[in-house]
Amino acid sequence: MTTAKLALTCILAIALLPACTRPKAPERSPNVLVITVDTLRADRLGCYGFDAARTAHIDKLSTEGIRVEHAVASAPITMPSHTSIFTGFDPPAHGVRDNGTYPVPPEIDTLAERLKSAGYQTQAFVSAEVLHSRYGLDQGFDGYDDELWNEAMPTDFKRQERSARKTMDRVLQWLNGRPASAEPFFLWVHLFDPHQPYAPPPLEARVTQTPYDGEIAFVDQQIGRLVEALEQKGALDETILVFTSDHGESLGEHG
């Protein structure tokens, strides 16, 4: 053994000695929170350079975390893109090609299934009929809240949805009902408001340039409620928070 190798061996032995004599208690796994905002263009957010944006809460996530400069959706359609997000496969591999037609194959593992097997409590709240549990994306979730309120008022695309405020009310009710000693959670929150038709509340409509931007501003306020609730529970620092969209919006650019 050379002197260099001997020195390296001794350093490693000294470094490992405390671990052998004073074992540490295993650390708790972090919570995982995924927020997806449907039909959201990156260039309509302040953190991506849109000066007229009213997205303070989303922008704060960017400044306090890591912002991805360039991200490309696997598909410009809600169900196929979300399936890619939660399986790691592109549509040709997972087989979900459109909304309302192709279910997630049961043999494909989802992120929820992986985390559930690792001891996580898994819960989802979705805001549009296209992500209903009958299409199979509920695989691995202990709870999958897809109850919609405005069934009598379908959108122009004949899809039932609920507002970000109503979805977030349900999320916060679930979060506040969890004991502090509970197992770590994997939580998915899906908000649909920026999807057509655009109908922001009056306040957001007055302070933004377009109804689409007003919908985004309203969603931003609801995300702020969730982050504040995590802070109040002392859970934010123990949570990996991922914010993304399933795809963007053409806003008439393609006719």
Side-chain angles (χ1 to χ4, degrees), residues 33 41 56 69 88 101 119 125 132 145 186 215 221 237 250-251:
L33 167 60
R41 289 173 61 130
E69 189 78 19
T101 305
F125 295 86
H132 194 277
D145 188 327
F186 168 49
E215 294 274 34
Q221 293 299 316
D237 290 339
S250 67
L251 298 179

Side-chain angles (χ1 to χ4, degrees), residues 132-150:
H132 194 277
S133 59
R134 63 175 169 268
Y135 301 122
L137 205 51
D138 64 330
Q139 292 176 200
F141 283 104
D142 297 317
Y144 194 91
D145 188 327
D146 54 7
E147 181 180 353
L148 307 177
W149 278 271
N150 63 340

Side-chain angles (χ1 to χ4, degrees), residues 110-251:
T110 66
L111 180 60
E113 289 176 301
R114 293 290 184 91
L115 292 178
K116 180 177 175 64
S117 67
Y120 278 73
Q121 180 184 7
T122 55
Q123 177 68 42
F125 295 86
V126 301
S127 300
E129 185 267 340
V130 294
L131 296 175
H132 194 277
S133 59
R134 63 175 169 268
Y135 301 122
L137 205 51
D138 64 330
Q139 292 176 200
F141 283 104
D142 297 317
Y144 194 91
D145 188 327
D146 54 7
E147 181 180 353
L148 307 177
W149 278 271
N150 63 340
E151 287 83 355
M153 300 173 59
T155 70
D156 292 344
F157 288 80
K158 308 302 181 185
R159 303 295 188 187
Q160 298 163 0
E161 62 176 289
R162 66 182 175 192
S163 73
R165 177 182 288 119
K166 289 181 177 179
T167 294
M168 199 59 72
D169 286 346
R170 305 275 288 205
V171 173
L172 297 182
Q173 181 182 18
W174 174 85
L175 185 65
N176 291 329
R178 296 185 78 251
S181 60
E183 65 270 34
F185 64 75
F186 168 49
L187 173 61
W188 169 32
V189 179
H190 164 260
L191 305 175
F192 195 67
D193 300 58
H195 196 287
Q196 288 183 323
Y198 312 130
L203 174 60
E204 284 73 18
R206 288 196 298 269
V207 300
T208 53
Q209 293 183 345
T210 69
Y212 176 70
D213 295 317
E215 294 274 34
I216 296 171
F218 180 64
V219 164
D220 181 78
Q221 293 299 316
Q222 304 310 309
I223 292 172
R225 293 175 62 199
L226 177 54
V227 173
E228 181 181 5
L230 289 170
E231 287 179 325
Q232 291 177 349
K233 288 180 67 71
L236 186 60
D237 290 339
E238 301 173 353
T239 302
I240 297 172
L241 194 162
V242 180
F243 171 84
T244 188
S245 176
D246 57 344
H247 57 79
E249 173 68 300
S250 67
L251 298 179

Side-chain angles (χ1 to χ4, degrees), residues 65-78:
I66 299 171
R67 178 175 63 89
V68 176
E69 189 78 19
H70 301 288
V72 179
S74 297
I77 308 170
T78 299

